[in-house]
């Protein structure tokens, strides 16, 4: 049996979140740290709209990662809500990881976030220089220097989520800033995001595939129901609704004679089956919810709470 009393004394547990411009590799880094795919990654910005937690379990610590959407200037009501969500997350966590890619110069967006972070005085910020596999050694060195001039950071650490290089160092640096505390979650638990939300994200990801330029942020997904098929323990019925803002967008998602929608459904179904480890029947509908991004009532219905 483990000696619980002695290990509890040095155990650390707490919360971290990653911020950074869209597309800097926050979700990929979190997934790599946690070791399983819980957030959605894509090559286009702002796919992460919800706070998703992944948990790193170590013998000496438990690091609960809250993944935040890209911090950006508000453009729509949805944008404003996201930003206030991000800012309230920042004050609630024990440590913040500020991601800046190694292969792009520091820009306006990074400076904007650095300013916001400077206002959150209570929480230590570790600057994480991401995507180091994409940059040469000198470029990484220059970036580390540039980051050190950007603001005061508790630490600056280079990492590649792709190659796995320095992932353990990132964990260590974050964990060092957590309070001494017994574990907050049971062992083996990887995420406390309700499965329904993850399933919705997978569907949204499949629906955006190939049409991101036309419909960048105009698709929302609500999973109405997930339940085992009666008399079967190997099949799950999932009923989900996609919402777009205009009839023209609906036509794009459906495609010629419905071929695209069918394709979206089958791609999403495969991802969901991989996530849940069971066979899935997916009933996927699409509706127009006019200007849902600007309408507080619709936003609440679609799961974006105040
Ligand atoms: N080569 C390389 N690519 C990476 C690495 N980390 C992320 N990427 C790629 O960069 C792109 C963006 O990564 P995400 O993890 O979705 O970025 P994000 O910051 O979470 O983006 P938002 O959700 O838009 O805020 C994806 O195409 C990733 O595959 C890395 O370490 N190396």
């Amino acid at each position: 049996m483990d000696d619980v009393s002695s290990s509890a004394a040095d155990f650390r547990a707490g919360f971290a979140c990653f911020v950074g411009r869209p597309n800097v590799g926050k979700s990929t880094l979190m997934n790599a740290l946690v070791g399983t795919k819980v957030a959605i990654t894509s090559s286009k910005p702002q796919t992460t709209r919800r706070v998703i937690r992944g948990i790193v379990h170590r013998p000496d610590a438990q690091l609960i990662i809250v993944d935040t959407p890209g911090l950006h200037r508000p453009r729509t009501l949805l944008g404003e809500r996201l930003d206030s969500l991000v800012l309230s997350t920042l004050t609630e966590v024990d440590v913040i990881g500020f991601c800046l890619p190694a292969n792009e110069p520091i820009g306006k967006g990074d400076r904007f976030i650095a300013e916001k972070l400077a206002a959150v005085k209570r929480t230590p910020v570790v600057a994480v220089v991401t995507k180091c596999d994409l940059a040469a050694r000198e470029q990484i060195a220059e970036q580390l220097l540039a980051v050190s001039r950007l603001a005061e950071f508790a630490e600056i650490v280079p990492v590649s989520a792709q190659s796995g290089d320095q992932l353990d160092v990132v964990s260590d640096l974050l964990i060092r800033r957590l309070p001494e505390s017994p574990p907050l979650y049971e062992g083996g638990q990887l995420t406390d995001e309700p499965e329904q939300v993850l399933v919705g994200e997978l569907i949204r990801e499949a629906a955006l595939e190939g049409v991101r330029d036309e419909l960048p942020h105009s698709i929302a997904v609500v999973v109405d129901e997930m339940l085992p098929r009666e008399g079967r323990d190997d099949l799950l019925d999932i009923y989900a609704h996609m919402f777009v803002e205009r009839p023209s967008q609906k036509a794009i998602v459906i495609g010629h004679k419905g071929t695209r929608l069918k394709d979206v459904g089958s791609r999403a179904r495969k991802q969901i089956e991989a996530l849940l480890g069971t066979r899935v029947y997916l009933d996927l509908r699409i509706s127009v919810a006019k200007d849902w991004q600007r309408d507080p009532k619709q936003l609440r219905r679609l799961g974006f709470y105040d």
Side-chain angles (χ1 to χ4, degrees), residues 21-28 41-48 70 131 133-134 160-162:
R21 293 188 275 116
N23 229 18
V24 293
K26 299 180 292 296
S27 302
T28 311
T41 60
S42 84
S43 52
K44 285 286 156 85
Q46 290 173 26
T47 51
T48 316
K131 306 191 187 183
D133 57 293
L134 295 180
S160 165
Q162 182 107 324

Side-chain angles (χ1 to χ4, degrees), residues 2 30 54 71-72 100 295:
D2 291 341
M30 187 196 74
L71 194 69
H72 58 288
L100 305 113
D295 179 349

Side-chain angles (χ1 to χ4, degrees), residues 131-178:
K131 306 191 187 183
C132 281
D133 57 293
L134 295 180
R137 211 173 258 260
E138 307 86 77
Q139 199 183 356
I140 298 171
E142 276 166 27
Q143 189 71 333
L144 293 174
L145 197 63
V147 170
S148 73
R149 289 186 181 132
L150 182 63
E152 280 285 316
F153 295 111
E155 305 271 357
I156 304 176
V157 57
V159 71
S160 165
Q162 182 107 324
S163 69
D165 216 22
Q166 293 262 105
L167 276 174
D168 47 347
V169 180
V170 173
S171 291
D172 278 348
L173 291 178
L174 296 172
I175 284 169
R176 213 174 284 171
R177 275 151 189 101
L178 302 182

Side-chain angles (χ1 to χ4, degrees), residues 181-214:
S181 154
L184 302 169
Y185 288 83
E186 280 170 36
Q189 208 173 332
L190 290 167
T191 171
D192 75 349
E193 189 72 357
E195 282 174 350
Q196 243 156 286
V197 172
L198 294 176
V199 166
E201 289 285 316
L202 290 174
I203 295 171
R204 206 166 77 84
E205 185 72 4
L208 283 172
E209 185 86 41
V211 296
R212 282 198 177 84
D213 294 339
E214 292 136 284

Side-chain angles (χ1 to χ4, degrees), residues 88-99:
S88 63
T89 305
L90 297 183
T91 53
E92 285 160 15
V93 294
D94 300 298
V95 58
I96 299 167
F98 177 20
C99 297

